[in-house]
Amino acid sequence: MDKSEKTALTLGLIFITFLFFLVLILSKALGQDVPECITPETIFESGELVTIEEGKHYQLKSVGRMWTFEPAEVVIPVGSELEIFLTAKDVVHGFYLRGTNVNMMAVPGTINYKTMKFTKPGIYPIYCHEYCGSGHQFMKGVIKVTQ
């Protein structure tokens, strides 16, 4: 290896290391967390909203299946924290909550987890962003955050 190859390799490694730490720092500064993957022994079969503390803390157990999210509509009060547990019954689905940084994958046999605190009232549509079949475009849900 000649000197110019070593220099190019060294500069390339320095640049990749710089980019890695830049992405890491920006993701923390912007609050972009990577969803956790939980693999329990049993996976819930149907979706539901569970109240942990009325008006403050909820758990959403969401199931993606062709071509709906279950439950399709969730209503929670503003200022509440929502823990999202997500799985799929058939194929891989996406779970994108518009207007937030919630972007998850629903994978059969696993549960993905993310927490979101809703500080503003509004309607937050849920879209499947992973092509899952011929009815993919109809796969939607909504989280309504009320006063």
Side-chain angles (χ1 to χ4, degrees), residues 20 27 33-34 46 65 71 83 112 115 117 135 140:
F20 173 77
S27 67
D33 293 330
V34 176
S46 60
R65 64 182 70 193
E83 292 180 283
N112 280 328
T115 301
K117 183 164 186 166
K140 297 175 184 164

Side-chain angles (χ1 to χ4, degrees), residues 32 96-103 114 116-118 124-125:
Q32 300 288 326
Y96 172 66
L97 190 57
R98 194 174 79 189
T100 70
N101 64 355
V102 175
N103 186 356
K114 186 143 176 84
M116 173 75 190
K117 183 164 186 166
F118 291 89
Y124 296 86

Side-chain angles (χ1 to χ4, degrees), residues 26-126:
L26 287 177
S27 67
K28 292 295 179 189
L30 297 175
Q32 300 288 326
D33 293 330
V34 176
E36 296 177 41
C37 183
I38 304 168
T39 54
E41 292 181 16
T42 58
I43 295 177
F44 47 90
E45 295 290 323
S46 60
E48 64 177 330
L49 181 67
V50 178
T51 302
I52 304 298
E53 185 177 351
E54 186 68 37
K56 294 183 178 178
H57 189 190
Y58 298 88
Q59 287 183 345
L60 172 61
K61 295 180 178 178
S62 182
V63 177
R65 64 182 70 193
M66 291 183 180
W67 290 278
T68 185
F69 291 105
E70 185 182 305
E73 181 178 314
V74 173
V75 180
I76 58 172
V78 68
S80 59
E81 181 175 324
L82 182 65
E83 292 180 283
I84 302 168
F85 296 88
L86 179 66
T87 190
K89 293 299 296 176
D90 41 29
V91 297
V92 175
H93 299 279
F95 185 99
Y96 172 66
L97 190 57
R98 194 174 79 189
T100 70
N101 64 355
V102 175
N103 186 356
M104 307 166 68
M105 298 298 292
V107 180
T110 64
I111 296 176
N112 280 328
Y113 170 80
K114 186 143 176 84
T115 301
M116 173 75 190
K117 183 164 186 166
F118 291 89
T119 58
K120 295 178 183 176
I123 296 174
Y124 296 86
I126 302 167

